[in-house]
């Protein structure tokens, strides 16, 4: 009763395809196993594109979240530096342009850059 053939797996893994096909033609149990494996293979190939599409969607979401995180970090650091640097906040007012003197360059009485000869 328990004389089932158990050669399919070993032939599939360790043997060449010709030997496997010859054994499948001789053994009914291994032929059934091969049909089941073919069905599973067909099912996997059918589902593969949906799996990769889902994975691509997850990667896109992850990249978007990383971009938002980097933007938020950069923005918070910029505002943090602007708020903690009192010298810069005192010189920068809305609508005011910076002059060469604000940048710390030597200027003459007209506000032009001084050049030593």
């Amino acid at each position: 009763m328990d004389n089932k053939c158990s050669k399919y797996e070993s032939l599939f893994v360790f043997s060449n395809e010709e030997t496997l096909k010859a054994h499948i033609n001789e053994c009914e149990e291994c032929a059934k196993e091969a049909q089941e494996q073919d069905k599973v293979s067909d099912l996997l190939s059918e589902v593969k594109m949906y799996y990769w599409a889902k994975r691509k969607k997850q990667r896109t979401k992850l990249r978007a979240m990383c971009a938002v995180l980097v933007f938020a970090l950069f923005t918070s650091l910029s505002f943090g530096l602007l708020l903690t640097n009192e010298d810069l906040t005192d010189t920068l007012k809305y609508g005011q342009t910076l002059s060469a003197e604000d940048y710390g360059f030597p200027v003459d009485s007209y506000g032009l850059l001084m050049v030593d000869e």
Side-chain angles (χ1 to χ4, degrees), residues 28-53:
E28 291 179 20
E29 292 178 18
C30 290
K32 289 179 185 178
E33 183 73 24
Q35 286 177 350
E36 289 177 11
Q37 294 296 330
D38 289 341
K39 287 179 185 178
V40 169
S41 177
D42 292 340
L43 196 69
L44 286 175
S45 64
E46 184 179 329
V47 175
K48 181 171 65 171
M49 66 179 159
Y50 297 112
Y51 172 75
W52 288 112

Side-chain angles (χ1 to χ4, degrees), residues 55-75:
R55 190 169 175 171
K56 185 177 180 182
K57 193 180 212 182
Q58 289 174 344
R59 279 190 183 164
T60 305
K61 285 181 182 179
L62 182 63
R63 287 180 182 165
M65 289 184 348
C66 287
V68 167
L69 180 66
V70 167
F71 178 74
L73 182 66
F74 178 73
T75 304

